[in-house]
Amino acid sequence: MASLVYPENVSYVDDAQALRKAFEGWGTSEKAIISILGHRNAAQRRQIRAAYEGLFQEDLVKRLESELKGDFERAVYRWILDPEERDAVLANVAVKKSGDYHVIAEIACVLSPEELLAVRRAYQTRYKLSLEEDVAAHTSGDLRKACYATNLHIYILRYLYHVPNDSDNLLNSPIIFQLLVGLVTAYRYQGPEVNARLADSEADVLHDAIKDKKFNHEELIRILTTRSKLQLLATFNRYRDDHGTSLLEALSGEHGDDFKKVLQTAVRCIHDHKKYFEEVLRNVIKKVGTNEDALTRVIVTRAEKDMKDIKELYYKENSVHLDQAVAKETHGDYKDFLLALLGN
Amino acid sequence: MASLVYPENVSYVDDAQALRKAFEGWGTSEKAIISILGHRNAAQRRQIRAAYEGLFQEDLVKRLESELKGDFERAVYRWILDPEERDAVLANVAVKKSGDYHVIAEIACVLSPEELLAVRRAYQTRYKLSLEEDVAAHTSGDLRKACYATNLHIYILRYLYHVPNDSDNLLNSPIIFQLLVGLVTAYRYQGPEVNARLADSEADVLHDAIKDKKFNHEELIRILTTRSKLQLLATFNRYRDDHGTSLLEALSGEHGDDFKKVLQTAVRCIHDHKKYFEEVLRNVIKKVGTNEDALTRVIVTRAEKDMKDIKELYYKENSVHLDQAVAKETHGDYKDFLLALLGN
């Protein structure tokens, strides 16, 4: 269930005029912005944008960008977009930052196949190229060209002398590209059919692939990027039952920071995305120095969907209410806005 | 332009009743079937199916399958389906036959991004799994598992002793999987923007990838599977201008039959799919022993789209009318049906 609280009947014109008023006069009235936008669902926000543009011949999103700043501005900007536009923006930010590739996996694996398609459409409209094109170009290219010869040397030496696989990102480049492109281009089967025998055999394929490590990542990538979520759940369960450890635990032995992070994110999001988001929030809050981008991302993307469930999970795991934890980690308008989205 | 000739106003009930009559009595009246179904467009055929089912509580497609046989039956069956259903069936047949993998590339590269999506949806509805899942499972799996270690030996030996790359299909297995899955999962950017500098640099990347052969197929696959068709056209042109030979000619040096065929099909279909289909028809007709599957596929899939243009191209290239060539290669009801679709 959603955490967002909003009135059913809203006058979009009144909202647009109230926002305009908040921008004018002595400084911006952030409180007014929060009290309106923090309590409107996606359809209502879309109408407010349209009403605002009609009344004032001005793009509300651009005006908000110019009026607000810092974490608050970023949170409002993310929030006011349609979900598919927002995810396109999040993916575009993540694609440029190798440390954030897991965000792309998160989007690809949490969304339903049709929602992911909507994001791919929004990405094209906004950036004039396809999401997979951008992901592929950023995760391959120069880095990969440079490391091909190197990789071969490393493979040969490791193979001939049985040298264990070190953690090095060079080696991850082609496989992280395959994995990410596979995840964002997936249009998974959405029906209820699950093939138990296939789950059985592919649990073994996964086990072999992880055990061997170096040379058979293609099988791991193939299974994770093409099978339906229900089929993968069956395979994950089978893996745990047959091999006495969960796939996720087994993957913790994987080398290469980026690749491992993307892989684990994909498995987590497919397995139980609410639990995954609870963990992201927990890590953000536990760490010294808050990662506002992650905090904003989770709250903004889930507020209208299942944030209430995530809050319950959070309380169960931490014996602290998420609202209290967020209030402690943040301040000012940013804090008030996040708390509004959390249902306060 | 289409080659199919059909009346604008059709009584679906009359058509359904005439078909029913053709099935009954002394043997099936193939002539009646051809005269109706050979002159109805996709929307009309859909209505006839619905009317037939309503009137006789029977699936027209199944009834046709049981009444007809051989090449004629296969052609009618392909034809009566909606285009996206038909392509899903064609892809499903091709995925099980390594010699026909190029048909998958043909479907993926000729269709528009939205049409390809429709095929992926139809595939899921029909086969209860995703197209890419099926492609990935068929082109990887056992073969790939078995050849990983082998490949490594080959790579090492070739690298250490500068042994040229032989034609062997073992080596192609992982890359053909990447290429095909990349092609079918593509949702290419469809806008008009073309980046000339990118075309320039990627023409060089392609040139290097092909020149090196063994180790950089990922770049070739990345570019072919993610860039927009217009962008690829610019890259292909740049390639020809800068390197004095077309990409297609350069690819003829590629090893591995299946991989090369898929690669060339993709490039041809992106470059000029009408020319590609003309070549397919020419090869079918030139060869001793007709490949009816290919002949049926091209005529059935293009009759409602651009078969008239393909016929003109064919005449230009062969100084023989396609209708005459087809009439010479085929016979009986199959011949009459194809000729009907060709506009006779």
Side-chain angles (χ1 to χ4, degrees):
Chain A
M1 268 187 71
S3 62
L4 184 75
V5 178
Y6 57 90
E8 283 300 328
N9 295 312
V10 166
S11 160
Y12 307 123
V13 170
D14 287 358
D15 277 353
Q17 277 167 335
L19 286 170
R20 178 75 167 195
K21 212 172 142 200
F23 300 146
E24 285 169 345
W26 294 84
T28 310
S29 168
E30 280 83 1
K31 295 277 160 285
I33 295 172
I34 295 168
S35 77
I36 298 169
L37 294 180
H39 299 285
R40 299 292 181 272
N41 69 18
Q44 293 170 337
R45 298 194 304 274
R46 205 175 307 130
Q47 299 280 11
I48 295 170
R49 276 169 73 176
Y52 187 94
E53 181 143 15
L55 283 169
F56 309 111
Q57 278 77 54
E58 183 180 68
D59 182 352
L60 175 59
V61 179
K62 288 216 177 94
R63 182 69 191 248
L64 283 164
E65 273 185 292
S66 78
E67 294 288 337
L68 311 178
K69 55 186 188 298
D71 295 325
F72 179 50
E73 183 253 313
R74 203 143 40 216
V76 170
Y77 175 72
R78 300 268 187 276
W79 174 246
I80 201 168
L81 298 175
D82 278 331
E84 62 272 21
E85 273 186 288
R86 177 197 304 140
D87 283 330
V89 169
L90 290 171
N92 183 258
V93 170
V95 88
K96 293 173 191 152
K97 231 171 119 185
S98 76
D100 277 356
Y101 286 163
H102 66 284
V103 175
I104 300 168
E106 176 186 300
I107 294 168
C109 296
V110 170
L111 297 184
S112 75
E114 290 298 334
E115 287 170 335
L116 178 55
L117 267 180
V119 174
R120 292 169 77 184
R121 286 205 187 90
Y123 201 97
Q124 291 201 12
T125 308
R126 207 174 177 95
Y127 301 109
K128 311 291 172 215
L129 39 67
S130 74
L131 171 57
E132 62 262 38
E133 182 174 4
D134 230 4
V135 169
H138 275 90
T139 54
S140 69
D142 293 349
L143 175 63
R144 291 173 58 229
K145 262 194 282 177
C147 73
Y148 255 88
T150 325
N151 275 359
L152 193 74
H153 277 112
I154 296 171
Y155 276 129
I156 292 171
L157 290 174
R158 283 192 184 143
Y159 191 77
L160 293 179
Y161 301 106
H162 303 282
V163 179
N165 197 352
D166 300 312
S167 166
D168 73 73
N169 278 316
L170 274 182
L171 267 173
N172 288 322
S173 165
I175 48 176
I176 203 168
F177 149 73
Q178 275 179 46
L179 176 59
L180 279 174
V181 172
L183 291 174
V184 300
T185 56
Y187 181 66
R188 299 178 196 270
Y189 170 61
Q190 298 150 74
E193 274 82 359
V194 170
N195 182 334
R197 280 178 58 188
L198 187 69
D200 202 8
S201 70
E202 293 199 333
D204 290 341
V205 172
L206 288 178
H207 189 254
D208 288 347
I210 295 168
K211 192 184 60 184
D212 286 356
K213 258 163 203 136
K214 283 136 290 250
F215 306 115
N216 208 0
H217 277 311
E218 269 88 358
E219 284 295 277
L220 181 61
I221 292 172
R222 173 182 68 77
I223 293 169
L224 277 182
T225 59
T226 64
R227 294 303 184 193
S228 80
K229 289 189 189 179
L230 281 182
Q231 181 67 40
L232 283 172
L233 277 186
T235 304
F236 296 168
N237 289 337
R238 196 76 225 183
Y239 189 102
R240 182 203 54 217
D241 294 344
D242 287 355
H243 303 288
T245 170
S246 77
L247 176 63
L248 201 61
E249 284 161 351
L251 289 176
S252 65
E254 278 295 320
H255 294 290
D257 286 348
D258 279 352
F259 181 67
K260 180 161 86 178
K261 207 167 169 186
V262 170
L263 210 50
Q264 290 183 325
T265 302
V267 172
R268 277 202 173 98
C269 291
I270 290 166
H271 182 255
D272 185 343
H273 73 265
K274 292 181 197 169
K275 210 168 147 218
Y276 163 80
F277 282 123
E278 186 279 324
E279 284 169 356
V280 173
L281 290 172
R282 198 194 320 156
N283 287 330
V284 165
I285 288 164
K286 214 169 52 183
K287 263 192 199 154
V288 184
T290 313
N291 177 347
E292 280 84 6
D293 280 345
L295 187 63
T296 303
R297 188 180 82 243
V298 177
I299 295 178
V300 160
T301 54
R302 307 319 298 178
E304 282 181 276
K305 292 189 168 159
D306 45 21
M307 199 53 182
K308 211 165 168 216
D309 308 323
I310 297 169
K311 280 169 72 171
E312 277 167 25
L313 269 178
Y314 188 91
Y315 185 71
K316 244 170 143 179
E317 293 290 330
N318 304 278
S319 308
V320 175
H321 287 293
L322 180 63
D323 301 26
Q324 293 171 336
V326 169
K328 224 175 125 191
E329 291 294 318
T330 56
H331 59 268
D333 301 317
Y334 178 56
K335 176 177 93 174
D336 295 342
F337 185 60
L338 293 187
L339 292 177
L341 299 186
L342 286 171
N344 289 277
Chain B
M1 269 186 69
S3 62
L4 184 74
V5 179
Y6 58 90
E8 284 299 328
N9 296 311
V10 165
S11 159
Y12 308 123
V13 170
D14 287 357
D15 277 353
Q17 278 168 334
L19 286 170
R20 178 74 167 192
K21 215 174 139 200
F23 300 146
E24 285 169 345
W26 294 83
T28 311
S29 167
E30 282 83 1
K31 295 278 162 283
I33 295 173
I34 294 169
S35 77
I36 298 169
L37 293 180
H39 298 285
R40 299 292 181 271
N41 69 18
Q44 293 170 339
R45 298 193 305 274
R46 205 177 305 131
Q47 299 279 10
I48 295 170
R49 276 168 72 176
Y52 188 94
E53 181 143 15
L55 284 169
F56 309 111
Q57 279 76 55
E58 182 180 69
D59 182 352
L60 176 58
V61 180
K62 288 216 177 93
R63 181 71 192 248
L64 282 164
E65 273 184 291
S66 78
E67 294 288 337
L68 311 177
K69 56 185 188 299
D71 295 325
F72 179 50
E73 183 253 314
R74 202 144 39 215
V76 170
Y77 175 73
R78 301 269 187 275
W79 174 246
I80 202 169
L81 298 176
D82 279 330
E84 62 271 20
E85 272 185 290
R86 177 197 304 140
D87 283 331
V89 170
L90 289 170
N92 184 258
V93 171
V95 86
K96 292 174 192 152
K97 231 171 118 185
S98 76
D100 277 356
Y101 286 164
H102 66 284
V103 174
I104 301 168
E106 177 187 298
I107 293 168
C109 295
V110 170
L111 297 184
S112 76
E114 290 298 334
E115 287 170 336
L116 179 56
L117 267 180
V119 174
R120 292 168 77 184
R121 285 203 188 90
Y123 201 96
Q124 290 200 12
T125 307
R126 207 174 177 96
Y127 301 109
K128 311 291 173 215
L129 39 66
S130 75
L131 172 56
E132 63 262 37
E133 182 175 4
D134 230 3
V135 169
H138 276 90
T139 55
S140 67
D142 294 349
L143 176 62
R144 293 174 57 229
K145 262 193 282 176
C147 73
Y148 257 89
T150 326
N151 275 359
L152 193 74
H153 277 112
I154 297 171
Y155 277 128
I156 292 171
L157 290 173
R158 282 192 184 145
Y159 191 78
L160 294 179
Y161 301 105
H162 303 283
V163 179
N165 198 351
D166 299 312
S167 166
D168 72 74
N169 277 317
L170 273 181
L171 266 172
N172 287 323
S173 164
I175 49 175
I176 203 168
F177 150 73
Q178 275 179 45
L179 176 60
L180 279 174
V181 172
L183 291 174
V184 300
T185 56
Y187 180 66
R188 299 179 196 270
Y189 170 60
Q190 299 150 74
E193 275 82 358
V194 169
N195 182 334
R197 280 177 58 187
L198 186 69
D200 202 8
S201 71
E202 293 199 333
D204 290 341
V205 172
L206 288 179
H207 188 254
D208 288 348
I210 295 169
K211 193 183 59 186
D212 285 356
K213 258 165 203 135
K214 284 135 288 241
F215 305 116
N216 209 358
H217 277 310
E218 269 87 358
E219 285 294 277
L220 181 62
I221 292 172
R222 173 182 68 78
I223 293 169
L224 277 182
T225 58
T226 64
R227 295 303 184 193
S228 80
K229 289 189 189 178
L230 281 182
Q231 181 68 39
L232 284 172
L233 277 187
T235 304
F236 295 168
N237 289 338
R238 197 75 225 183
Y239 189 101
R240 181 202 55 215
D241 294 344
D242 288 356
H243 303 289
T245 170
S246 76
L247 176 63
L248 201 60
E249 284 162 352
L251 289 177
S252 65
E254 279 294 320
H255 294 291
D257 285 348
D258 278 353
F259 181 66
K260 181 161 86 176
K261 205 167 170 187
V262 171
L263 211 49
Q264 290 183 325
T265 301
V267 172
R268 277 201 174 100
C269 291
I270 290 166
H271 181 256
D272 184 343
H273 73 265
K274 292 181 199 170
K275 212 169 145 216
Y276 163 81
F277 282 123
E278 186 280 322
E279 284 168 356
V280 173
L281 290 172
R282 198 194 319 157
N283 286 330
V284 165
I285 288 165
K286 216 169 51 184
K287 263 192 199 154
V288 183
T290 313
N291 178 347
E292 281 83 6
D293 280 346
L295 187 63
T296 303
R297 190 181 80 243
V298 176
I299 295 178
V300 160
T301 54
R302 308 317 299 176
E304 281 181 277
K305 292 190 169 158
D306 45 21
M307 199 52 183
K308 212 167 168 215
D309 308 324
I310 296 169
K311 280 169 72 171
E312 277 167 25
L313 268 178
Y314 188 90
Y315 185 70
K316 244 169 142 180
E317 293 289 330
N318 303 279
S319 309
V320 174
H321 288 293
L322 180 62
D323 302 27
Q324 293 172 336
V326 169
K328 224 175 124 191
E329 291 294 318
T330 56
H331 59 269
D333 301 317
Y334 177 56
K335 176 177 94 174
D336 295 342
F337 185 61
L338 293 187
L339 291 177
L341 299 186
L342 286 172
N344 288 277

